[in-house]
Amino acid sequence: RSLIRANQAGKQVTAVVELKARFDEENNIEWARRLENEGVHVVYGISRLKTHCKAMMVVRREGERLVRYVHLSTGNYNSVTARQYTDLGLLTSDNDLGEDVAGLFNFLTGYSQQADFKRLIVAPVNLREQILNLIKREAAAASAGLPARIIIKINSLTDTEVIEELYNASQAGVEVDLIVRGICSLRPGVKALSQRIRVKSIVGRFLEHSRIFYFANGDTDGKELLLIGSADLMQRNLDRRVEIIFPILNSAIKDYLKNEVLTAYLKDNANSWILRQTGSYKKMQDTGEIFDAQNYFIGKEIG
């Protein structure tokens, strides 16, 4: 409705609508028709690639210059799931991210075949390559005696290349924590293979939907890399969808995501299930003080 009002106010409005969105096909078709009827330029993405990224951009003339305001999210622009899912979003006017998102929309609307991005990591352009390289870099850091650590929070992990590199990282000495809500094809805790990898799933009041990627990057003094985005580590996300993950550049936000968000999920012992070597899950024992990560964040909001 806001997009329609903007268009009626004389703004140029373009909406990329994924008609094959699971559970939302009928709803998206109806909204696409309404947008088109109101004169909004509606685009249906790229043939053979499902559009799964979540991005919005507002361009404003401020004085003598144009300023891009960008919102990037792990969550869908959906008023129902916004109340049921845990997600993260970033609002920024960073020039490089703004240029990248403009390029992404040109890519999605067919105006360009953009393959180079300054900040965004985009599937199917370079997401697979970049994720594998980041894991390999942690393994190299561990082998060199430098700080090495990986924490990944996603919905699913099934891609065999990514799993093999995580195994290699574990064998190189990297401590790996995976918070995977759904399917996980990796076997944690196997001697000489994955003994430094731990996997947990959190199933609580809200559906865990945010994707967070943390890499120590050889140094704990500001060089750590933290990214969020739309992609799970599955072949379909890496190769057959338009996905984005993006770095958090602001040090305060980076610290919050690492030291509060990820720490809370790792600490959770109220809704956590531990994946065992056998592929079965065991409810985490409620030893000591009970900590519920979702309730913790609800309390933070209320407080």
Side-chain angles (χ1 to χ4, degrees), residues 58 124 155 186 188 193 212 220 229 231 243 258 260 268-269 283:
V58 175
N155 292 345
L186 179 147
L193 177 70
I212 311 172
T220 57
E243 304 270 15
K258 177 195 172 188
E260 283 214 47
D268 181 280
N269 60 1
K283 186 74 165 65

Side-chain angles (χ1 to χ4, degrees), residues 24-278:
D24 250 350
E25 294 91 341
E26 186 176 349
N27 194 39
N28 282 9
I29 290 170
E30 176 60 27
W31 274 114
R33 285 174 178 163
R34 290 179 63 179
L35 288 164
E36 284 184 326
N37 290 339
E38 293 290 340
V40 172
H41 180 207
V42 178
V43 179
Y44 298 104
I46 299 171
S47 176
R48 299 184 301 278
L49 292 177
K50 182 174 179 177
T51 302
H52 192 250
C53 56
K54 301 91 171 58
M56 183 172 6
M57 180 174 68
V58 175
V59 183
R60 288 176 37 166
R61 183 177 298 280
E62 299 185 357
E64 298 298 317
R65 66 192 188 109
L66 292 177
V67 180
R68 296 185 182 98
Y69 293 94
V70 168
H71 183 264
L72 300 170
S73 178
T74 69
N76 305 312
Y77 295 121
N78 183 307
S79 58
V80 175
T81 60
R83 296 175 178 273
Q84 299 171 345
Y85 292 7
T86 71
D87 274 303
L88 297 167
L90 176 72
L91 182 64
T92 178
S93 59
D94 177 81
N95 287 330
D96 288 342
L97 279 172
E99 287 183 18
D100 279 357
V101 173
L104 175 71
F105 278 115
N106 286 335
F107 175 66
L108 289 170
T109 54
Y111 287 112
S112 76
Q113 292 293 320
Q114 181 139 350
D116 296 318
F117 296 90
K118 295 178 180 178
R119 302 288 191 191
L120 293 185
I121 303 175
V122 181
V125 179
N126 64 346
L127 179 54
R128 172 181 291 281
E129 175 187 9
Q130 290 296 321
I131 288 291
L132 293 175
N133 286 341
L134 290 171
I135 298 171
K136 290 176 182 176
R137 188 166 68 182
E138 293 304 305
S143 298
L146 298 172
R149 182 86 160 89
I150 295 173
I151 308 171
I152 297 176
K153 180 182 182 294
I154 48 177
N155 292 345
S156 301
L157 170 60
T158 62
D159 187 80
T160 54
E161 272 195 289
V162 172
I163 290 170
E164 287 295 331
E165 287 305 331
L166 288 170
Y167 285 154
N168 292 338
S170 173
Q171 293 166 49
V174 182
E175 295 295 329
V176 181
D177 278 289
L178 304 175
I179 306 162
V180 186
R181 188 199 77 226
I183 300 169
C184 181
S185 300
L186 179 147
R187 292 181 60 195
V190 178
K191 187 175 181 180
L193 177 70
S194 58
Q195 62 195 56
R196 292 184 176 86
I197 303 178
R198 296 160 293 277
V199 181
K200 71 188 305 188
S201 174
I202 294 177
V203 182
R205 171 182 170 186
F206 300 99
L207 184 138
E208 290 296 336
H209 194 253
S210 58
R211 288 89 166 179
I212 311 172
F213 304 83
Y214 170 82
F215 301 92
N217 196 20
D219 194 325
T220 57
D221 186 20
K223 293 184 180 179
E224 302 157 306
L225 183 62
L226 198 148
L227 310 102
I228 66 175
S230 62
D232 290 312
L233 297 179
M234 307 175 73
Q235 185 181 11
R236 71 183 189 187
N237 299 90
L238 300 174
D239 300 331
R240 300 196 301 272
R241 291 185 174 186
V242 180
E243 304 270 15
I244 56 172
I245 64 172
F246 50 94
I248 300 300
L249 306 174
N250 180 281
S251 58
I253 300 174
K254 187 192 296 186
D255 288 345
Y256 168 73
L257 290 174
K258 177 195 172 188
N259 297 321
E260 283 214 47
V261 176
L262 287 177
T263 297
Y265 283 121
L266 292 176
K267 183 180 176 182
D268 181 280
N269 60 1
N271 300 308
S272 294
W273 294 75
I274 304 303
L275 179 59
R276 298 184 287 191
Q277 296 179 18
T278 58

Side-chain angles (χ1 to χ4, degrees), residues 12-27:
Q12 290 185 343
V13 181
T14 298
V16 181
V17 182
E18 176 54 69
L19 296 185
K20 294 183 292 183
R22 189 167 54 167
F23 310 127
D24 250 350
E25 294 91 341
E26 186 176 349
N27 194 39

